[in-house]
Amino acid sequence: MQIEISGGTARWDLFQMDILRDFEDPESVEAILKTNAKAAFCISYHSYTLDELKNALKLMLERYGGWVGNDSNEFVPRFTLNDISSLSY
């Protein structure tokens, strides 16, 4: 799923991802497999919409659980419902 938030509007594009094919980095694949992830979301946003994004992520985490990870080899730092408010970038 791709989320774009701009000026208070959101566009959602849903697509299925194959962990072994779409994440070419072995460390990323290993990190995802360790968490037994069932879905992955790619998020692109502008810094001025960060508060709106955090609200959307909070709703998703409340409903479905999971975590939000940084675009790094092992998706760290990771944020959960308990600390998503501290997302600052």
Side-chain angles (χ1 to χ4, degrees):
M1 178 174 286
Q2 178 177 321
I3 302 169
E4 287 185 29
I5 298 176
S6 177
T9 61
R11 188 185 91 204
W12 304 69
D13 296 322
L14 180 62
F15 59 92
Q16 186 173 0
M17 298 180 76
D18 180 313
I19 291 173
L20 298 177
R21 184 189 70 226
D22 295 335
F23 290 95
E24 296 174 356
D25 178 56
E27 291 176 3
S28 295
V29 172
E30 184 177 341
I32 291 172
L33 292 175
K34 280 182 184 177
T35 64
N36 198 25
K38 303 289 186 236
F41 300 87
C42 300
I43 303 168
S44 174
Y45 67 96
H46 292 283
S47 59
Y48 64 86
T49 62
L50 182 59
D51 288 337
E52 293 154 319
L53 173 66
K54 287 192 285 190
N55 289 336
L57 292 173
K58 183 177 179 184
L59 290 173
M60 292 174 65
L61 291 168
E62 284 175 345
R63 172 107 182 181
Y64 301 106
W67 50 269
V68 175
N70 188 28
D71 188 15
S72 67
N73 287 346
E74 294 197 21
F75 306 100
V76 291
R78 294 182 192 176
F79 300 90
T80 65
L81 178 58
N82 294 332
D83 62 2
I84 193 65
S85 299
S86 67
L87 179 69
S88 63
Y89 51 88

